[in-house]
């Protein structure tokens, strides 16, 4: 019987890859699942489309390229960068006819528009507008805290917050290299000039800030990972609380945050019963988000959701990442969840290849959801 092959689409330059540690673990998980997993970039597909130069690990753990037939399914891990290589990838995805486990998602504003059209999502969505001076002034009139985020990109880069306090405006941000930036202005016109300079090179959204400081002076949110499993069903792999560094606009682990198990963090603040209610609401939010986005964008394999829990215990959807990291589980010592988070996209890709071969298409529109 033919050994199934799964291709991982990603950025490559020589034998350098965007996420080498994660990819090494993916290849090992593929071996455990009885399939062959290889990495490739758009430029590695031969003109005929029938063969791919894929990269695997040799006996010394070094990357080696060799020719493979077309993969049975492809897991797309090509992440956004403001480069020509990314533009080439987008063009490749538009014309490529591989069997993909995941479609591309749009930018933050388009995702918000799609979610907001579903009234079932309204209770979890903070007010969000495209950034311009008029919208920023309107939002400052309604909210004491705002976040201004680039439409593309992840990891807490190039965003900032504006907070009204002490008769002025405190601005906290992280630049493109995640370095902390802060300023204080008493004059709204100075805030607008500062914000215009920050946002001049790309498009941004402005989003209602939330009172998420369950720990004083630190940003706190939940990272929840929802993935397709080997039966083609959405299932929650796990979640954790991220506590940001002191006086940081974000809770990202890259930016000095730490990871804590959800119940351990929430129970002392809200009690056993209320904590259970909060977790159930966050999980309901996750399933609804996955179904709503998949209805619009087509087949997906996983989402990392950033969920804010305010001081009253209300859950808010802050951001959706279609190509999430899963290091939060390793940071918490949840090793089995970490292994499952790595394995599941391959399990789903194998399921997809099998059902496509048998039925001609993967019936994701059947709204399959694992038992909760």
């Amino acid at each position: 019987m033919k050994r199934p092959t799964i291709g991982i689409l990603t950025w490559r330059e020589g034998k350098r890859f965007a996420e080498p540690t994660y990819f090494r673990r993916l290849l090992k998980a593929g071996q455990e699942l009885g399939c062959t997993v290889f990495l490739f970039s758009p430029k590695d597909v031969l003109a005929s489309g029938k063969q791919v130069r894929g990269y695997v690990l040799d006996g010394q753990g070094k990357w080696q390229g060799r020719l493979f037939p077309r993969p049975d399914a492809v897991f797309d891990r090509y992440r956004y960068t403001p480069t020509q290589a990314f533009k080439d990838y987008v063009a490749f995805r538009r014309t490529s006819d591989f069997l993909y486990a995941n479609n591309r998602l749009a930018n933050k504003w388009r995702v918000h528009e799609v979610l907001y059209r579903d009234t079932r999502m309204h209770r979890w969505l903070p007010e969000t507008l495209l950034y311009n001076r008029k919208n920023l002034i309107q939002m400052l009139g309604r909210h004491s805290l705002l976040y201004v985020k680039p439409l593309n990109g992840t990891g807490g880069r190039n965003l900032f917050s504006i907070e009204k306090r002490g008769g002025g405006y405190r601005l906290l941000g992280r630049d493109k290299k995640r370095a902390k930036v802060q300023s204080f202005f008493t004059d709204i016109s100075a805030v607008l000039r500062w914000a215009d300079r920050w946002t001049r090179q790309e498009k941004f959204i402005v989003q209602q800030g939330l009172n998420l400081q369950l720990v004083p002076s630190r940003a706190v949110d939940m990272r929840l990972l929802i993935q397709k499993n080997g039966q083609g069903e959405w299932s929650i792999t796990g979640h954790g609380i991220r506590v940001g560094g002191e006086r940081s606009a974000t809770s990202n682990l890259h930016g000095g945050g730490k990871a804590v198990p959800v119940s351990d963090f929430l129970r002392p603040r809200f009690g056993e019963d209320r904590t259970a209610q909060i977790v159930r609401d966050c999980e309901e939010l996750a399933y609804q988000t996955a179904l709503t986005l998949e209805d619009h964008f087509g087949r997906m394999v996983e989402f990392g959701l950033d969920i804010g829990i305010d001081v009253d215990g209300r859950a808010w959807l802050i951001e959706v990442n279609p190509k999430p990291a899963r290091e939060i589980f390793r940071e918490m010592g949840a090793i089995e969840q970490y292994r499952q988070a790595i394995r599941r996209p391959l399990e789903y890709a194998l399921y997809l290849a099998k059902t496509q071969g048998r039925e001609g298409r993967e019936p994701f529109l059947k709204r399959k959801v694992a038992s909760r």
Side-chain angles (χ1 to χ4, degrees), residues 42-185:
K43 60 189 174 186
D44 294 320
V45 180
L46 274 60
S48 67
K50 295 180 180 179
Q51 286 184 304
V52 177
R53 175 163 292 280
Y55 286 78
V56 293
L57 295 168
D58 64 16
Q60 285 72 49
K62 296 181 179 179
W63 295 108
Q64 295 294 335
R66 64 183 179 88
L67 287 179
F68 289 88
R70 283 172 60 91
D72 295 307
V74 172
F75 175 35
D76 184 351
R77 279 298 291 189
Y78 207 116
R79 302 173 85 171
Y80 172 79
T81 54
T83 61
Q84 182 59 45
F86 184 80
K87 293 177 182 177
D88 294 342
Y89 150 75
V90 172
F92 172 80
R93 276 296 318 246
R94 287 190 182 128
T95 58
S96 165
D97 63 351
F98 288 125
L99 173 59
Y100 285 100
N102 49 331
N103 282 299
R104 294 186 60 235
L105 203 64
N107 62 48
K108 292 182 179 72
W109 174 243
R110 186 77 186 105
V111 167
H112 174 78
E113 285 187 313
V114 169
L115 292 174
Y116 192 76
R117 283 207 298 265
D118 187 340
T119 56
R120 292 170 295 186
M121 292 295 306
H122 282 187
R123 64 191 172 101
W124 295 306
L125 298 176
E127 184 179 7
T128 304
L129 298 174
L130 275 173
Y131 173 84
N132 57 45
R133 277 198 168 198
K134 179 183 176 184
N135 286 344
L136 182 60
I137 292 168
Q138 286 182 352
M139 292 281 276
L140 279 172
R142 289 195 286 268
H143 307 291
S144 60
L145 176 65
L146 299 177
Y147 282 88
V148 182
K149 305 176 181 179
L151 262 59
N152 294 298
T154 58
R157 294 183 184 89
N158 208 23
L159 60 76
F160 65 94
S161 64
I162 305 174
E163 183 180 11
K164 291 189 284 190
R165 60 156 52 191
Y169 303 88
R170 187 182 71 162
L171 286 75
L172 289 177
R174 287 189 180 272
D175 64 17
K176 292 180 180 179
K177 296 181 179 179
R178 294 199 186 98
K180 288 184 183 180
V181 179
Q182 58 181 313
S183 293
F184 186 88
F185 302 105

Side-chain angles (χ1 to χ4, degrees), residues 75-341:
F75 175 35
D76 184 351
R77 279 298 291 189
Y78 207 116
R79 302 173 85 171
Y80 172 79
T81 54
T83 61
Q84 182 59 45
F86 184 80
K87 293 177 182 177
D88 294 342
Y89 150 75
V90 172
F92 172 80
R93 276 296 318 246
R94 287 190 182 128
T95 58
S96 165
D97 63 351
F98 288 125
L99 173 59
Y100 285 100
N102 49 331
N103 282 299
R104 294 186 60 235
L105 203 64
N107 62 48
K108 292 182 179 72
W109 174 243
R110 186 77 186 105
V111 167
H112 174 78
E113 285 187 313
V114 169
L115 292 174
Y116 192 76
R117 283 207 298 265
D118 187 340
T119 56
R120 292 170 295 186
M121 292 295 306
H122 282 187
R123 64 191 172 101
W124 295 306
L125 298 176
E127 184 179 7
T128 304
L129 298 174
L130 275 173
Y131 173 84
N132 57 45
R133 277 198 168 198
K134 179 183 176 184
N135 286 344
L136 182 60
I137 292 168
Q138 286 182 352
M139 292 281 276
L140 279 172
R142 289 195 286 268
H143 307 291
S144 60
L145 176 65
L146 299 177
Y147 282 88
V148 182
K149 305 176 181 179
L151 262 59
N152 294 298
T154 58
R157 294 183 184 89
N158 208 23
L159 60 76
F160 65 94
S161 64
I162 305 174
E163 183 180 11
K164 291 189 284 190
R165 60 156 52 191
Y169 303 88
R170 187 182 71 162
L171 286 75
L172 289 177
R174 287 189 180 272
D175 64 17
K176 292 180 180 179
K177 296 181 179 179
R178 294 199 186 98
K180 288 184 183 180
V181 179
Q182 58 181 313
S183 293
F184 186 88
F185 302 105
T186 56
D187 182 14
I188 184 64
S189 61
V191 173
L192 296 174
R193 287 193 298 272
W194 192 95
D196 282 347
R197 284 197 301 273
W198 188 287
T199 59
R200 68 178 179 269
Q201 291 186 330
E202 57 182 307
K203 292 184 177 180
F204 284 70
I205 57 172
V206 55
Q207 189 173 76
Q208 170 191 352
L210 307 165
N211 190 353
L212 307 179
Q213 291 191 342
L214 296 173
V215 176
S217 301
R218 295 179 187 267
V220 176
D221 66 15
M222 175 193 288
R223 165 53 70 91
L224 184 151
L225 182 62
I226 184 168
Q227 299 175 293
K228 293 275 188 69
N229 61 22
Q231 291 76 49
E233 302 167 334
W234 283 111
S235 181
I236 291 172
T237 303
H239 36 53
I241 294 289
R242 300 182 302 182
V243 181
E246 193 169 5
R247 297 178 67 82
S248 171
T250 71
S251 63
N252 293 77
L253 300 181
H254 290 301
K258 66 176 183 178
V260 185
V262 171
S263 292
D264 290 356
F265 181 85
L266 294 180
R267 202 181 294 117
R269 293 161 175 81
F270 294 104
E272 192 80 41
D273 293 345
R274 181 69 177 126
T275 293
Q277 289 175 350
I278 293 168
V279 171
R280 281 196 301 271
D281 190 46
C282 290
E283 293 183 347
E284 183 181 347
L285 182 167
Y287 281 111
Q288 189 59 60
T289 299
L291 296 178
T292 298
L293 291 178
E294 193 172 48
D295 272 340
H296 184 84
F297 292 102
R299 183 167 54 232
M300 293 292 182
V301 66
E302 62 182 355
F303 293 110
L305 305 185
D306 294 346
I307 300 172
I309 299 170
D310 69 21
V311 293
D312 298 318
R314 180 176 174 180
W316 300 84
L317 179 60
I318 298 172
E319 196 162 309
V320 179
N321 188 339
K323 294 169 185 174
R326 49 217 80 213
E327 295 305 303
I328 190 168
F329 302 117
R330 196 163 62 89
E331 293 275 342
M332 293 191 302
I335 300 305
E336 183 49 43
Q337 283 179 307
Y338 182 59
R339 291 193 185 114
Q340 189 178 57

